[in-house]
Amino acid sequence: MDPSLSPTSIHYAIKKETWRRTVVLSFQTLGILYGRLSTAPLYAFGSINPSDIKSGQQIYELFSFVFWTLTIIPLLKYAFIVLKVDDNGEGGTFALYSLLCRHANVGLLPSDISTTELMHQEEGTPSKMKVESRARRAIGRYKSSHYLMLFLALLGSCMIICDGIFTPALSVLSATSDLRRSLSKLAARFTSSEKARHSVDKYLKRYIPVPAACAILVCLFMLQRYGTNRIGVIFAPIVIIWLMFISGFGMYNIFHHPQILWAISPAYMFRFIKKIDISSWKLLSSIGLCIAGSEAMFADLGHFSKRSIKVTFVFLVYPALVLCYAGQAAFFSKHLGTSDDVAHLSESITHRHLQHIFTILSLFASLVGSQATITATFSIINQCQALACFPRVKVIHTSEKVHGQVYVPDANWLIMVLSLTILIGFRDISAIANATGLAVICGMLVTTCLMSLIIALQWEKTAVFLSLSFLLFFGSIEALYLSSCFLNFSKGTWCIVILSLIFMTIMVSWHYGTIKKYEFDIENKVTVDWLTELSPGLGVSRVPGIGFIHTNIVTGIPAFFSHFITNIPAFHEVLILVSFKSLPVPYIPKNERYLIGRIGHKDYKIFRCIVRYGYRDHVRNINDFEDQIISSIGEFIAREERHHEALFLQEGRMIILGSRMTDGNVLVPVVVGGEQSESGQDVADIENPTTTTTTTTTKRKKVRFMLPANSPKMNPSVRKELQQLVDARESGTAYFLGHSHLKVRKGSNFVKQFLVKVYAFLDKNCREPPIALDIPHAALLEVGMVYTI
């Protein structure tokens, strides 16, 4: 096998990062990556009910937890350990799962099953984990470990999606609650009667926080279609001003109450644990929110550099947050019992006029924090869809420079509706914070588990010790906060459990149905000999044109096409079997994306094209897909005779294509006529082979191909075959897609029936493949089949 076909053979040119580049990236991280972590002070202490605090000393103990949690989780775990591991520059839950799929052979995805020999070759990769590792053999030996890895990856993805639903509601409601308090104080200055003040405050409490938060959320989600790049232009300055503001008042409160600095000692934590009870244990769920957003330091690694992420956190975000929390805790402890709102950050701003400035600033800051989680949700949905773990949705790439910046309109409106439902249903910061805390901590715990496995696979000599140490040290801290979240199960946490179960059911059902369909295709495929040798006996004729057969298998002829030939004995003069294969890597360079091969003798004119893409690529949205395939086929014909590094498979040899030849022996694309309009859609059903037509209109760029005018080096046989390809293109093209339906066998167990029914419902109501593949409707033929499993 050709090592160049390996996904890990794709080399990324890593330029030496200058400090000027680091400063620029560090500035950008503040607007995108650290928005959530920087706005956590709005609700960390604020979600605590002051009546649950027994004394000011207990607040000191809680601050000790805040300080050491900030130091251990985001600083030590993420900035100095987890950031050392990346998947070709990408981070996040799926990046860790991708590494395990490639290096420990634990993949259960359809592309792993179908093309293990073709796609996975790890020789010569710098990140290669030792083949003889005991941990690798142990993990790869047991099938249950494969399911466990996939479950952890899906669980982490579900928690990110749930976090994207709850965080906008929590952040914006916290800010609008501050707006209500600010307006109440303004109203009190113009009202002398205590009864009138109480009436105004009651009115504002009813009509300001939730309605204003709903309006802001609707505006926020409507802005998503403009993309992260445009939205984030003003976010970095907002976060910088916000951090300076809250850290400045933190220092002010520390100066007036310096005793808070003694709480940095871990002795305060041990004192809290020593006398802990159920009521005080529940308080830790709110304290865990202080690290909400830490996961973004690793998840958004592909947008920035490791050094910029680390430098920004160590020298700006971390000290600013520590000062803010220390000052807030100092004020809280000294004024405990004076007001029901004393735990909120706005109350620690002692200057009256600056409180109003803080209110306006917190509204903008809450939008920044919400944007970070919404963007992360879009990214994880895009990755899950690429790896066959999420139903088909429309994905729009909003940036040509940053591949990971995507907008998913279907998910955007669903998240908006769910977020508004959560906001209107709970109307309480504490309940929403309890649910959010569970999503945050659970996501971090998944990263800890996957990271410990990566450590076990990468460092063989000390693998077990280092892996267990990492898992026990960080896992025990996160488990402590996780347990406190479950203690608040009846106070909001139940909602995150139900939502995560719904999303997990959707992902597992879709993954299960996709695998079963693929297995059915493998078991019922026919050999190439059937098409080239046996089909003439059925009276099959060849018609002018090119037929693109979209299939998930990379060997043989798909079952739906053999059924089509049986019912309608004709197919095109040139056949191209096209397979899209996702690889567990972030990106595939364009010059290594297409894998072209010939099936059978030259006279058959049957080719196979494998289009490889990473989980962050957007290859399925290209408008000139057909032109690129035909151009690659022409390049393959020109190179075939003198290519000595081809990959030999059962059906023949395949060559990686994508970089254009410069010797003038390839097809020349010519844009003519501007645009062409096409209408109509043909659908053929095997069980009832009739054709129906629906009228649609699409406009696409029309490209014609010509042979090079002067190419003395071109072989006459190559010129003849290229001319036949050009003539076939001029005659027209058609796409064959299998439109399959899953049907469960009678007597199957309940779980199987449930998964198949859920998959069938999702398959019927989600986006159709032709939309994702940008296939002209007039050229589409869908062949219906029923798969009984």
Side-chain angles (χ1 to χ4, degrees):
M1 177 161 47
D2 186 0
S4 65
L5 298 178
S6 166
T8 53
S9 67
I10 299 164
H11 302 291
Y12 294 85
I14 302 175
K15 299 179 181 180
K16 186 176 180 181
E17 184 180 348
T18 62
W19 275 106
R20 181 179 179 181
R21 177 65 176 166
T22 301
V23 171
V24 173
L25 290 176
S26 297
F27 178 78
Q28 293 175 352
T29 60
L30 289 168
I32 299 176
L33 192 153
Y34 289 116
R36 171 79 184 284
L37 193 61
S38 300
T39 55
L42 280 172
Y43 43 79
F45 278 118
S47 59
I48 296 176
N49 190 341
S51 62
D52 294 334
I53 301 296
K54 299 176 182 178
S55 64
Q57 193 68 19
Q58 191 176 40
I59 298 175
Y60 279 44
E61 295 166 357
L62 291 175
F63 169 70
S64 184
F65 271 96
V66 170
F67 174 80
W68 286 106
T69 303
L70 275 174
T71 303
I72 293 173
I73 302 299
L75 183 64
L76 179 59
K77 175 187 170 182
Y78 284 99
F80 290 102
I81 299 179
V82 176
L83 282 180
K84 292 182 179 294
V85 177
D86 66 278
D87 184 22
N88 291 321
E90 293 295 330
T93 303
F94 260 89
L96 295 178
Y97 179 67
S98 167
L99 289 172
L100 290 171
C101 284
R102 296 206 306 273
H103 300 301
N105 194 25
V106 298
L108 290 169
L109 304 175
S111 59
D112 296 325
I113 299 172
S114 64
T115 55
T116 301
E117 181 181 356
L118 177 66
M119 300 295 181
H120 295 81
Q121 173 71 21
E122 306 302 330
E123 296 176 2
T125 175
S127 62
K128 177 183 178 295
M129 297 179 185
K130 297 176 175 59
V131 176
E132 299 300 326
S133 171
R134 295 179 181 178
R136 184 185 186 277
R137 289 198 302 268
I139 294 174
R141 185 183 304 135
Y142 300 103
K143 198 71 174 179
S144 58
S145 64
H146 300 191
Y147 289 104
L148 177 61
M149 298 303 101
L150 180 62
F151 171 78
L152 288 174
L154 294 182
L155 178 62
S157 302
C158 288
M159 290 303 165
I160 291 175
I161 296 173
C162 291
D163 193 19
I165 295 170
F166 278 82
T167 293
L170 177 61
S171 298
V172 176
L173 182 59
S174 299
T176 53
S177 296
D178 286 336
L179 176 63
R180 190 270 304 171
R181 282 187 288 272
S182 181
L183 292 176
S184 295
K185 292 176 181 179
L186 280 175
R189 297 175 59 184
F190 302 99
T191 307
S192 57
S193 171
E194 185 67 26
K195 184 178 179 180
R197 291 178 183 176
H198 180 73
S199 178
V200 169
D201 186 64
K202 184 178 179 181
Y203 179 85
L204 292 174
K205 187 178 293 186
R206 182 177 181 181
Y207 292 104
I208 292 297
V210 175
C214 290
I216 292 172
L217 283 179
V218 171
C219 294
L220 176 65
F221 283 101
M222 290 181 67
L223 288 173
Q224 296 306 310
R225 64 189 183 93
Y226 294 106
T228 306
N229 195 33
R230 294 182 181 179
I231 299 173
V233 170
I234 60 171
F235 280 3
I238 290 175
V239 174
I240 292 175
I241 296 172
W242 168 257
L243 288 175
M244 295 297 100
F245 194 90
I246 60 176
S247 61
F249 269 93
M251 293 176 64
Y252 175 84
N253 286 317
I254 293 172
F255 179 78
H256 286 81
H257 312 287
Q259 299 87 353
I260 190 66
L261 296 177
W262 291 105
I264 292 177
S265 170
Y268 283 78
M269 284 195 304
F270 297 130
R271 189 183 304 167
F272 180 88
I273 295 174
K274 186 177 180 181
K275 57 183 180 181
I276 197 168
D277 54 21
I278 296 297
S279 61
S280 58
W281 198 351
K282 289 180 179 180
L283 296 175
L284 292 180
S285 63
S286 297
I287 299 303
L289 291 172
C290 71
I291 53 174
S294 300
E295 185 70 18
M297 296 173 65
F298 182 53
D300 292 340
L301 178 59
H303 294 194
F304 311 100
S305 67
K306 295 180 180 179
R307 186 162 71 173
S308 64
I309 294 173
K310 190 181 298 185
V311 166
T312 308
F313 183 77
V314 172
F315 293 102
L316 178 59
V317 178
Y318 174 74
L321 289 178
V322 169
L323 290 173
C324 172
Y325 284 119
Q328 186 182 4
F331 182 89
F332 189 8
S333 63
K334 294 299 180 182
H335 298 82
L336 182 64
T338 58
S339 170
D340 292 337
D341 298 326
V342 69
H344 292 276
L345 181 62
S346 59
E347 295 300 308
S348 64
I349 311 297
T350 54
H351 196 281
R352 180 182 300 174
H353 297 295
L354 290 179
Q355 277 188 345
H356 304 313
I357 296 176
F358 169 85
T359 300
I360 298 173
L361 191 58
S362 66
L363 287 172
F364 286 104
S366 66
L367 292 178
V368 180
S370 302
Q371 179 62 42
T373 56
I374 295 171
T375 302
T377 303
F378 291 159
S379 297
I380 201 67
I381 289 176
N382 182 41
Q383 294 176 27
C384 290
Q385 180 185 235
L387 296 178
C389 293
F390 201 86
R392 295 180 297 267
V393 291
K394 185 177 182 180
V395 177
I396 300 173
H397 289 256
T398 58
S399 173
E400 295 181 357
K401 297 180 179 179
V402 182
H403 295 280
Q405 292 184 4
V406 296
Y407 167 58
V408 185
D410 303 332
N412 182 63
W413 305 123
L414 177 62
I415 293 172
M416 184 188 75
V417 171
L418 291 175
S419 187
L420 289 173
T421 303
I422 295 297
L423 182 61
I424 297 172
F426 283 108
R427 308 177 68 93
D428 179 43
I429 292 177
S430 297
I432 301 176
N434 292 335
T436 307
L438 179 62
V440 170
I441 300 301
C442 195
M444 291 182 180
L445 193 56
V446 168
T447 299
T448 299
C449 294
L450 293 176
M451 185 64 190
S452 64
L453 289 172
I454 295 291
I455 294 173
L457 294 172
Q458 195 159 13
W459 295 296
E460 183 179 5
K461 293 182 180 180
T462 57
V464 177
F465 174 75
L466 290 175
S467 178
L468 287 177
S469 299
F470 183 89
L471 179 63
L472 292 176
F473 181 68
F474 294 107
S476 60
I477 296 173
E478 291 160 355
L480 175 67
Y481 285 112
L482 188 67
S483 62
S484 67
C485 292
F486 278 111
L487 289 176
N488 292 309
F489 186 84
S490 61
K491 298 181 180 179
T493 303
W494 60 270
C495 189
I496 207 81
V497 175
I498 292 176
L499 270 180
S500 61
L501 285 176
I502 292 173
F503 284 115
M504 180 65 77
T505 301
I506 291 173
M507 291 183 176
V508 171
S509 299
W510 188 262
H511 181 71
Y512 178 80
T514 304
I515 287 181
K516 289 302 177 182
K517 274 189 176 182
Y518 179 80
E519 291 176 349
F520 186 93
D521 287 336
I522 290 293
E523 294 172 0
N524 294 275
K525 68 180 180 179
V526 297
T527 63
V528 179
D529 294 337
W530 183 92
L531 186 65
T532 58
E533 298 177 9
L534 300 180
S535 58
L538 301 174
V540 176
S541 59
R542 305 289 290 266
V543 297
I546 299 178
F548 290 89
I549 305 172
H550 181 267
T551 174
N552 290 324
I553 59 177
V554 295
T555 58
I557 305 297
F560 76 85
F561 190 70
S562 65
H563 283 293
F564 177 83
I565 297 299
T566 304
N567 287 271
I568 306 176
F571 60 89
H572 292 80
E573 179 185 3
V574 177
L575 282 184
I576 303 174
L577 282 79
V578 182
S579 300
F580 285 86
K581 288 300 169 184
S582 64
L583 301 184
V585 293
Y587 307 107
I588 302 291
K590 290 184 178 180
N591 61 346
E592 299 185 15
R593 179 166 292 166
Y594 296 99
L595 196 60
I596 306 294
R598 187 190 296 277
I599 300 176
H601 194 270
K602 284 186 177 182
D603 295 337
Y604 297 147
K605 301 188 192 69
I606 303 176
F607 303 92
R608 185 179 299 281
C609 174
I610 299 175
V611 185
R612 310 184 304 169
Y613 63 96
Y615 55 79
R616 281 186 178 269
D617 275 324
H618 54 284
V619 67
R620 291 172 175 258
N621 280 333
I622 54 177
N623 293 321
D624 55 348
F625 164 75
E626 179 183 308
D627 302 327
Q628 291 190 25
I629 294 294
I630 293 176
S631 179
S632 298
I633 295 290
E635 186 181 343
F636 169 81
I637 294 172
R639 289 187 177 188
E640 184 180 18
E641 296 298 329
R642 51 194 176 86
H643 203 288
H644 305 293
E645 298 180 357
L647 173 66
F648 286 88
L649 297 178
Q650 182 181 356
E651 296 174 342
R653 58 181 180 176
M654 305 193 78
I655 301 174
I656 289 183
L657 298 173
S659 57
R660 185 172 175 81
M661 296 174 63
T662 57
D663 56 4
N665 288 340
V666 294
L667 296 177
V668 179
V670 179
V671 179
V672 294
E675 294 179 341
Q676 64 175 3
S677 299
E678 297 174 323
S679 63
Q681 179 178 6
D682 297 330
V683 181
D685 195 302
I686 286 303
E687 297 182 356
N688 184 20
T690 59
T691 303
T692 60
T693 303
T694 58
T695 302
T696 56
T697 302
T698 57
K699 291 185 177 181
R700 26 189 328 268
K701 180 177 64 177
K702 186 176 181 180
V703 177
R704 300 181 64 182
F705 288 94
M706 300 176 59
L707 292 179
N710 298 312
S711 53
K713 297 181 181 180
M714 183 179 291
N715 190 295
S717 62
V718 172
R719 174 176 287 274
K720 178 182 177 181
E721 190 170 8
L722 288 176
Q723 186 62 54
Q724 291 174 343
L725 181 64
V726 171
D727 293 341
R729 168 64 185 280
E730 292 297 316
S731 299
T733 58
Y735 288 82
F736 296 86
L737 261 72
H739 196 75
S740 56
H741 304 276
L742 281 186
K743 184 178 180 181
V744 66
R745 286 191 179 93
K746 292 183 179 180
S748 300
N749 60 62
F750 171 78
V751 175
K752 185 175 182 180
Q753 292 185 33
F754 177 75
L755 292 176
V756 171
K757 288 179 180 179
V758 172
Y759 175 83
F761 174 80
L762 295 172
D763 189 38
K764 183 179 179 180
N765 292 279
C766 69
R767 296 273 182 173
E768 292 292 333
I771 297 176
L773 294 171
D774 198 29
I775 296 174
H777 293 287
L780 175 64
L781 290 105
E782 291 186 81
V783 182
M785 290 190 68
V786 176
Y787 292 176
T788 303
I789 62 172

